[in-house]
Amino acid sequence: MKISLVPHKISLMSSGIWQRGKEEEGVYGFLIEDIRKEVNRASKLKCCICKKTGASIGCVTPRCKRSYHFPCGLQRECIFQFTGNFASFCWKHRPVQIITSNNYRDSLPCTICLEYLEPVPTYSILRSPCCKNAWFHRDCLQVQAINAGVFFFRCTICNNSDIFQKEMLRMGIHIPEKDASWELEENAYQELLQHYEHCDVRRCRCKEGRDYNAPDSKWEIKRCQCCGSSGTHLACSSLRSWEQNWECLECRGILYNSEDFQKAKKHTLPNTNSVGITDCLLEESSPKLPRQSPGAQHKDLLRQGNKFRKEVSTIMVELGFQIKKKTKRLWINKANVWNSALDGFRNQNFNPSYTIEVAYVDENDNFGREHPGSKQEFLSLLMQHLENSPIFEGSLSKNLSLNSQALNENLYYEAGKILAISLVHGGPSPGFFSKTLYNCLVYGPENTQPILDDVSDFDVAQIIIRVNTATNVADLNSVVNECYNYLELIGCLRLITSLSDKYMLAKDILVYHVIKRVQAPFESFKQGLKTLGVLEKIQTYPEAFYSIFCHKPENLTAEILSDLFTVRTLSDVQALGFWNSYLQAVEDGKSAVTMEDILIFATGCSSIPPAGFKPTPSIECLHMDFPVGNKCNNCLALPITSTYQEFQENMDFAIRNTLRLDKEGSSHYIGH
C-alpha cells in the first residue's frame, strides 16, 4: 500500500507502482527498479483524453478501463484523492456531494473569495459538510489548503477540522502535511512583541516629545485598554496612577454611545490648576459606573458597547456550532415529561453538546414500543412545565421562589441547565422572566433594585404598601410594631427617627424578599445556566436576550407563516391558493383555529424558536381528505379538495381535534 504522502503526484497516482522503500530511499520511497517497471508498463497505455502513450493513471472503479495522464485528468475534471491508497476517479465515476434538496434560490458568496457562485454541487463548486450554508470554489479551497496545511486547514465558518478535512480529501483536495505558510515566515509576529509608545492626545504637554516614555512617573505612556493602539502620558490625560483605566477617543465613542450612557450624569472636571478646562474636556477620564469594582466596571463597559452589535438569531447560530453530530437518544414519557427529561439529562453518558433525539414511550404499553418524537415539541413541553413549576413564583413576570424540596433535589441547577440546553438545541423563548430576575443574571443582584410587582406574597406586599403610604412617624412606628417579629426575623428592623426612614425600610424588605431570600436558589440556577456558554452570551449581549427572556414572542400573522413554510412539492396549484386564503381567514378570525394552532399542528411549537426551525417548515399537497402534520420533519401535508369551503372545514376539523386530544393527554402533568 502507499502509506505516506510524497510530493511526486504522478508516482502517487500511478496504478502499478507502490512505495516499498523508506522515505530516504530511491525517490521519496519509490525504488528505482519499480519506477522503471512502471515507465515500461505506462509506455504501452494510451491516454483516453490526449490519445498519447504514457498514461499511467487509471480509474479505480471496477470495469472502468480509462487511463490518462495526471495533467490530462486535471483538465478533464477527474478527481485524485491524496489519502489512503491515493485513488483516482475518471469524470464518469468521480465522487459527488449529494444534498437532499436545494433551498437556495439565489447565488451565494464563496466564503473564501466572496465572489458569488451558484449553490449547486459540481466539480468546481463544493459545499462544507459541517455548515450547510458554506460554499466554496474548488480552486479557492485548494489554495487555502496549500497555505494552511493539515494543522490549520478547517471550515471557514465553524472552524471544524476533522469532518471538513475528511470530506475535502474525499473530493480531491490536496492537504499537505506541513505547517501553515504564515507560521514559517521569519519574524512573522515580531511586531506583536513591540509595545506602542506614543502620546496621541490632542495636546501633549511633555517637553521631551510624544515618543518620550519615563516609567514610574507622570510621563509614563499608558495604552488604550481596549485597542492598545493609542496611548497617552499619564499627565496629558489627568490620570492619577497607572491603574486608572483609559480609552482613546475612538474606543470611548464605541463604548459609551448607548442609551444608558447618554442618560448618565455629567462628570465633574478634575480639580487642578495645571490643566486647562478645554483640555480636560477633550481628554476627560473614562466615566465610571456606580457601585462596581474596577474589574466589574470594565466588563460592564465592554458589554454596553457590544450589546447592540448582534441579533439574537446570530448569537444562537454561534452557540449552535457546539452541537456535535453524535446523537443522544432521550426516552420521554409524555405523561411525565419533566421527570423523564431529568432522568435523561442527569444520565452520566449525557453530553449537552450531542444532537438530541427524542423517542416517546408509554409506561402502560406492555410491548415497550417507542415512537419517534419531535425534539422541538419536547422542548416546548419542557418549557411549559418549567414556567409553571414551583421553582418560580409570580403571575406573568416570574422570579425565583424559595422551595426547600427543589433546593434539596438540586432542581434550580437542573432548571438552568435545561433552559440553556433548550435554547441552544432549538427550544422556544422562555418569555416569563421578570426584569428584576434578568438584571440579576446580567448585572448581579448587588446592582439590581427590585420593585413591588416582584413580590408575589400578598402579606409581604401589604406590609411594603403600608410602610410606603405612612403619612407620619407615628403611623410608621405602628406598622413596625405590628410587624416587629417579621422584620426582626428578616434582619430589616431599624430605628425610626423620621418619616423619610420609610423609604429605606421598604427598600430593605424588597431586597430581602426578592433577592436575599432566594440567594441559594439563584446561585444554583445561575450555575446551570452556564451550560454550553449560554449565561456568558446573555451577559455579553443583554439587550439581545432581553426580549426572549422577558417577553412572549410576537403574535403570528398570515404573512409570517406564509414566509415560514416553504413549498416542498406542488402537485396542485389550487391547494396552494387555498392555503394562502386559509391563513388570511385565520388571521381575520373567520376560523375555529389560530395561527399558533397551525404551527403547533405542523411543528409542535406555538412560536418560532430563537434558533429557528431545523429542518425548515414545509408544505406539500397530497391526495387526502384531511391535513397531516409531521412534527419530526416540520412538514404540513395539505389536503386536495375541489372547493375552498371544503378545504377550510377539513383543516379546521383536523387541527382542532388533534390539538384537543394532545391537550387531554397532557393536561394532567403540565403545571404539576
Side-chain angles (χ1 to χ4, degrees):
M1 291 182 63
K2 303 171 185 175
I3 55 175
S4 69
L5 182 64
V6 295
H8 200 296
K9 294 184 176 62
I10 298 178
S11 297
L12 283 172
M13 298 300 166
S14 294
S15 303
I17 188 171
W18 305 93
Q19 188 182 20
R20 297 193 299 121
K22 298 180 180 179
E23 283 289 327
E24 61 273 10
E25 294 181 308
V27 180
Y28 297 102
F30 290 93
L31 302 181
I32 300 299
E33 57 187 77
D34 292 339
I35 295 176
R36 287 172 177 166
K37 290 180 180 178
E38 178 62 11
V39 170
N40 291 332
R41 186 188 73 87
S43 64
K44 303 173 184 178
L45 299 175
K46 183 179 293 185
C47 176
C48 64
I49 300 173
C50 69
K51 308 304 180 183
K52 297 180 180 179
T53 58
S56 62
I57 304 174
C59 178
V60 299
T61 304
R63 298 183 180 179
C64 181
K65 304 300 182 182
R66 293 187 179 90
S67 296
Y68 35 83
H69 301 105
F70 184 80
C72 296
L74 288 178
Q75 183 181 1
R76 194 65 173 84
E77 298 183 349
C78 299
I79 281 185
F80 304 94
Q81 293 181 344
F82 293 86
T83 184
N85 277 344
F86 295 88
S88 62
F89 299 86
C90 70
W91 58 94
K92 289 288 186 180
H93 302 113
R94 67 191 180 202
V96 295
Q97 289 185 306
I98 300 175
I99 58 175
T100 55
S101 62
N102 186 4
N103 296 324
Y104 304 97
R105 299 178 181 177
D106 302 320
S107 299
L108 293 176
C110 167
T111 60
I112 298 177
C113 70
L114 301 182
E115 292 186 5
Y116 280 86
L117 50 78
E118 292 300 320
V120 178
T122 61
Y123 174 81
S124 57
I125 304 296
L126 300 177
R127 188 176 74 162
S128 171
C130 40
C131 297
K132 303 305 182 185
N133 59 340
W135 296 79
F136 312 91
H137 293 108
R138 173 181 288 272
D139 292 342
C140 294
L141 274 173
Q142 187 59 76
V143 171
Q144 179 170 316
I146 296 297
N147 288 326
V150 69
F151 302 110
F152 291 92
F153 184 55
R154 57 195 63 188
C155 177
T156 56
I157 301 298
C158 68
N159 279 336
N160 180 285
S161 59
D162 295 336
I163 299 174
F164 186 76
Q165 286 191 16
K166 184 177 180 180
E167 174 67 3
M168 294 305 114
L169 286 170
R170 186 180 77 89
M171 297 306 297
I173 299 298
H174 173 38
I175 310 174
E177 291 186 12
K178 70 178 187 68
D179 212 341
S181 58
W182 55 84
E183 296 285 345
L184 302 176
E185 184 180 344
E186 186 176 359
N187 297 325
Y189 305 103
Q190 191 66 31
E191 65 275 8
L192 298 180
L193 303 177
Q194 301 176 359
H195 295 292
Y196 186 85
E197 296 181 351
H198 185 78
C199 182
D200 296 293
V201 299
R202 297 189 182 184
R203 181 181 175 185
C204 178
R205 298 181 180 80
C206 182
K207 295 181 180 180
E208 302 295 329
R210 292 182 177 270
D211 294 323
Y212 180 72
N213 181 31
D216 301 322
S217 73
K218 66 179 181 180
W219 301 118
E220 182 175 5
I221 290 181
K222 171 82 174 179
R223 290 179 295 278
C224 172
Q225 66 170 341
C226 296
C227 67
S229 59
S230 295
T232 177
H233 291 113
L234 298 183
C236 295
S237 292
S238 305
L239 301 179
R240 296 179 178 83
S241 68
W242 174 263
E243 288 75 20
Q244 190 172 350
N245 292 332
W246 180 81
E247 300 92 15
C248 63
L249 290 177
E250 289 79 6
C251 292
R252 196 181 308 174
I254 296 172
L255 290 173
Y256 308 139
N257 189 21
S258 66
E259 294 179 4
D260 293 341
F261 285 103
Q262 289 171 359
K263 296 176 181 178
K265 294 181 179 180
K266 300 292 184 180
H267 297 275
T268 56
L269 298 177
N271 186 14
T272 174
N273 296 326
S274 62
V275 183
I277 293 179
T278 304
D279 296 322
C280 290
L281 284 170
L282 291 175
E283 302 299 335
E284 178 186 11
S285 300
S286 305
K288 293 180 172 55
L289 293 176
R291 300 172 59 192
Q292 290 186 350
S293 64
Q297 170 201 343
H298 181 210
K299 284 185 178 180
D300 220 21
L301 293 180
L302 291 179
R303 289 173 190 153
Q304 292 290 347
N306 287 333
K307 69 180 183 179
F308 295 107
R309 297 183 187 177
K310 288 191 177 181
E311 296 292 336
V312 71
S313 57
T314 304
I315 302 170
M316 298 311 301
V317 170
E318 293 176 357
L319 287 171
F321 288 151
Q322 302 173 83
I323 301 177
K324 300 177 174 63
K325 286 192 174 182
K326 185 173 182 179
T327 60
K328 174 62 178 177
R329 173 164 291 191
L330 298 178
W331 284 271
I332 303 300
N333 181 2
K334 268 196 171 184
N336 200 341
V337 169
W338 176 254
N339 286 333
S340 53
L342 277 181
D343 291 340
F345 291 147
R346 284 174 169 172
N347 189 297
Q348 61 179 0
N349 295 323
F350 177 77
N351 188 325
S353 63
Y354 288 170
T355 298
I356 294 175
E357 284 186 356
V358 175
Y360 288 134
V361 295
D362 186 352
E363 59 185 9
N364 297 321
D365 188 347
N366 297 326
F367 296 99
R369 288 170 294 192
E370 59 185 52
H371 307 281
S374 164
K375 178 182 67 174
Q376 287 173 315
E377 179 187 36
F378 158 65
L379 295 175
S380 295
L381 293 174
L382 210 52
M383 285 302 102
Q384 290 178 41
H385 178 94
L386 191 62
E387 181 176 359
N388 296 284
S389 68
I391 69 173
F392 290 98
E393 61 182 18
S395 54
L396 297 177
S397 298
K398 297 178 181 290
N399 290 287
L400 290 175
S401 66
L402 181 59
N403 187 295
S404 57
Q405 181 180 352
L407 199 57
N408 292 333
E409 296 177 2
N410 204 26
L411 292 184
Y412 290 98
Y413 171 82
E414 297 295 344
K417 173 184 173 182
I418 287 174
L419 199 154
I421 292 174
S422 174
L423 282 176
V424 177
H425 284 265
S429 304
F432 59 86
F433 278 39
S434 71
K435 186 176 182 181
T436 298
L437 175 56
Y438 185 76
N439 286 341
C440 285
L441 290 170
V442 175
Y443 307 110
E446 67 279 4
N447 296 316
T448 303
Q449 178 58 49
I451 59 175
L452 185 61
D453 289 344
D454 294 320
V455 180
S456 58
D457 189 304
F458 178 79
D459 294 332
V460 175
Q462 287 301 308
I463 294 173
I464 297 173
I465 292 173
R466 289 182 63 190
V467 169
N468 276 327
T469 56
T471 57
N472 52 59
V473 175
D475 289 343
L476 188 55
N477 274 316
S478 176
V479 177
V480 172
N481 291 333
E482 289 182 28
C483 306
Y484 186 90
N485 293 334
Y486 170 74
L487 295 177
E488 184 180 35
L489 178 66
I490 68 175
C492 295
L493 191 63
R494 61 170 55 240
L495 180 64
I496 303 299
T497 58
S498 66
L499 186 61
S500 60
D501 289 338
K502 69 178 185 179
Y503 301 112
M504 285 305 299
L505 178 58
K507 180 180 177 181
D508 289 346
I509 300 172
L510 267 175
V511 171
Y512 169 79
H513 186 82
V514 180
I515 294 178
K516 292 184 178 180
R517 181 176 64 97
V518 295
Q519 183 175 356
F522 175 78
E523 291 300 326
S524 182
F525 180 75
K526 189 170 71 170
Q527 289 300 316
L529 203 55
K530 290 181 179 180
T531 304
L532 295 173
V534 170
L535 180 61
E536 181 183 358
K537 287 291 187 183
I538 294 172
Q539 293 174 337
T540 306
Y541 305 101
E543 190 72 15
F545 279 93
Y546 176 76
S547 60
I548 69 172
F549 272 87
C550 299
H551 293 291
K552 293 295 183 181
E554 63 177 342
N555 293 330
L556 297 173
T557 64
E559 182 179 2
I560 292 175
L561 279 192
S562 179
D563 293 339
L564 180 65
F565 284 87
T566 59
V567 181
R568 178 187 292 181
T569 58
L570 183 57
S571 57
D572 193 294
V573 177
Q574 181 176 258
L576 182 61
F578 288 168
W579 161 250
N580 291 324
S581 300
Y582 181 67
L583 290 179
Q584 194 60 53
V586 172
E587 183 177 10
D588 295 339
K590 299 177 181 178
S591 170
V593 303
T594 65
M595 292 292 181
E596 288 71 24
D597 291 339
I598 298 174
L599 194 60
I600 295 173
F601 181 77
T603 67
C605 298
S606 61
S607 61
I608 303 174
F613 283 105
K614 293 180 182 179
T616 302
S618 61
I619 56 174
E620 57 184 354
C621 304
L622 300 179
H623 290 279
M624 55 178 62
D625 294 330
F626 296 97
V628 176
N630 188 338
K631 298 175 183 177
C632 294
N633 295 326
N634 298 327
C635 181
L636 174 62
L638 301 177
I640 295 179
T641 60
S642 57
T643 65
Y644 171 73
Q645 182 178 355
E646 183 183 1
F647 179 89
Q648 179 172 340
E649 290 175 353
N650 292 357
M651 291 288 290
D652 286 350
F653 178 83
I655 294 174
R656 185 173 66 252
N657 284 280
T658 301
L659 298 187
R660 179 180 58 81
L661 293 174
D662 287 343
K663 289 178 181 178
E664 290 177 356
S666 61
S667 60
H668 65 284
Y669 70 86
I670 293 297
H672 296 282

